[in-house]
Amino acid sequence: MAIYFILAYDITNFRNPKNRFKLPVNVEIPVRIAEFFALMVAIITQDEVRTAVTLIRDGFDEDLVEAFPGATKAKWGWSIALRAFEGIFGLLLTCLLIMQSTNVLDLLLNFLAMEFVSKLDDVVFVLAREGFLGFLGCVGQKEAENVSNTYYDVSQRSRKSRKNATCVTNVYFFILFTSMFIGWVWICVNQDSGVYLCSKIFAQHGDEALPMLGSMSGLFLLQKQSFHRRNNRRLGYKDNRGSLLAYCEKEKRWTLSLPKDDVSPDDWTPCNWYAASSESEDFDVLKTATSQWVVKTSTNIFVPLSQHFLACYDCTDNLCAPHGFCNEGKCM
């Protein structure tokens, strides 16, 4: 549990109300498919919650007291509650790490790491049973052996009780699968609609090689649409003069362009650019802030920009201070 709490602290940021769980702004389709199957496997292999549900299903039986002297219904209930809490907490962290992954390899590594952590308690129990944890002494080894070797029969005397047991198991899987996949769909919809992107960014590009870039700097607002191609899942930005920061699928780079007045955004291609980033597959243009941008001269020669600046300009208390505070995206 200590590892779970440390991990939960590290992979969350509740000071960022827009993205408290550090989710990527979006991911490629293969990653999304891998997320789906990884979530299924995570739910199926979560044995702590499944065991807790099984114990509740079987109920507190007198045979249990005979097998484990000193057992009470209160102890039985607390053991189930703690087991279920550990299992649900671990499952939530596993799902969160899956959703935070930006490529299939990282997703698989995160998933395997959580599977390893979830089995640590079982590993410690086996080591104690086999006498490798010497600091527990012979008493600890004997207790572990007794727990491992003790069984009791669960009385299911009627057909009705067996039917109820099956119903409880089915309801458990239905609730768990439904809740997890509703959360997954909700996150996917938010990613595709740009919820985790900055709604406003400030962009400035050097105008030594191309003087007109000076007039294409300023505040850009997020556009809830892609440009040129409907299957372009990277959302762009537009300023009040019509300049676009958008993604060129053909060249795999973010670009700065100025559409013509008689061309609609659906018909305009960001590949007709004046300045562009290095090749990138990022869904967020801010990721290119530290990479080299280039300009295209009238003779179609690429010239590196001497300077460029991109920064999120969303409302925060730090941005509004010391004269106000942030409320619903506006400085008050």
Side-chain angles (χ1 to χ4, degrees):
M1 287 300 296
I3 296 177
Y4 282 169
F5 282 112
I6 294 172
L7 181 61
Y9 176 80
D10 185 62
I11 65 177
T12 56
N13 180 16
F14 286 91
R15 291 175 295 180
N16 181 5
K18 178 178 278 191
N19 193 359
R20 292 183 174 90
F21 300 109
K22 299 183 180 180
L23 297 168
V25 297
N26 213 337
V27 293
E28 299 286 356
I29 296 299
V31 179
R32 189 146 291 172
I33 296 173
E35 289 174 353
F36 177 84
F37 288 106
L39 288 174
M40 288 186 61
V41 176
I43 294 172
I44 294 172
T45 58
Q46 177 44 255
D47 55 353
E48 298 291 353
V49 182
R50 189 173 65 252
T51 303
V53 172
T54 301
L55 290 172
I56 295 174
R57 179 197 67 187
D58 296 338
F60 185 78
D61 199 284
E62 293 299 329
D63 292 335
L64 188 148
V65 179
E66 295 178 3
F68 298 98
T72 64
K73 196 166 186 177
K75 294 178 181 178
W76 173 80
W78 273 108
S79 68
I80 292 176
L82 293 175
R83 182 188 292 270
F85 174 76
E86 179 188 355
I88 292 174
F89 192 27
L91 181 59
L92 290 175
L93 290 178
T94 301
C95 294
L96 184 55
L97 282 173
I98 289 173
M99 297 306 299
Q100 286 182 345
S101 304
T102 56
N103 58 69
V104 176
L105 179 59
D106 287 346
L107 187 152
L108 293 176
L109 291 176
N110 288 336
F111 176 74
L112 291 175
M114 285 302 299
E115 285 294 302
F116 168 75
V117 172
S118 67
K119 302 299 182 185
L120 284 179
D121 55 346
D122 295 333
V123 172
V124 172
F125 179 80
V126 171
L127 290 176
R129 186 187 63 192
E130 296 181 356
F132 286 100
L133 299 182
F135 60 89
L136 294 178
C138 296
V139 176
Q141 180 181 0
K142 184 178 180 180
E143 291 294 330
E145 289 177 349
N146 289 338
V147 172
S148 180
N149 296 328
T150 302
Y151 300 90
Y152 70 97
D153 294 326
V154 177
S155 58
Q156 294 182 358
R157 299 180 177 86
S158 66
R159 180 180 302 176
K160 183 178 179 181
S161 64
R162 291 194 297 271
K163 182 178 180 181
N164 291 339
T166 303
C167 290
V168 170
T169 305
N170 292 338
V171 169
Y172 154 71
F173 277 111
F174 175 79
I175 293 176
L176 206 55
F177 273 100
T178 302
S179 58
M180 288 299 172
F181 281 104
I182 287 177
W184 176 69
V185 171
W186 178 72
I187 291 174
C188 293
V189 171
N190 284 344
Q191 288 176 328
D192 286 336
S193 58
V195 170
Y196 306 123
L197 287 167
C198 285
S199 58
K200 293 177 288 187
I201 64 173
F202 184 82
Q204 186 173 11
H205 299 84
D207 57 0
E208 296 87 355
L210 194 62
M212 70 175 299
L213 290 182
S215 63
M216 300 172 69
S217 299
L219 198 62
F220 287 73
L221 303 181
L222 178 65
Q223 304 296 298
K224 297 294 185 176
Q225 65 180 45
S226 57
F227 297 95
H228 183 50
R229 292 183 179 179
R230 296 188 181 275
N231 61 350
N232 184 355
R233 300 172 57 240
R234 292 165 174 81
L235 302 181
Y237 293 81
K238 186 177 181 180
D239 70 358
N240 56 5
R241 294 176 296 272
S243 301
L244 289 178
L245 275 171
Y247 190 77
C248 172
E249 286 278 358
K250 181 179 178 180
E251 300 183 27
K252 302 294 183 185
R253 62 174 77 205
W254 286 91
T255 67
L256 176 64
S257 61
L258 184 63
K260 297 180 181 179
D261 295 335
D262 58 346
V263 179
S264 67
D266 289 336
D267 297 328
W268 176 256
T269 170
C271 298
N272 294 332
W273 50 267
Y274 293 106
S277 69
S278 304
E279 287 192 15
S280 170
E281 294 186 355
D282 288 309
F283 283 84
D284 188 359
V285 65
L286 293 177
K287 296 292 185 181
T288 67
T290 56
S291 65
Q292 180 65 59
W293 278 63
V294 297
V295 296
K296 186 189 300 183
T297 65
S298 56
T299 57
N300 286 330
I301 298 177
F302 292 178
V303 179
L305 273 177
S306 58
Q307 61 176 345
H308 69 279
F309 178 78
L310 293 169
C312 183
Y313 215 66
D314 280 353
C315 170
T316 62
D317 289 337
N318 291 334
L319 183 64
C320 301
H323 305 293
F325 61 93
C326 182
N327 183 28
E328 296 183 355
K330 297 181 180 179
C331 288
M332 308 296 288

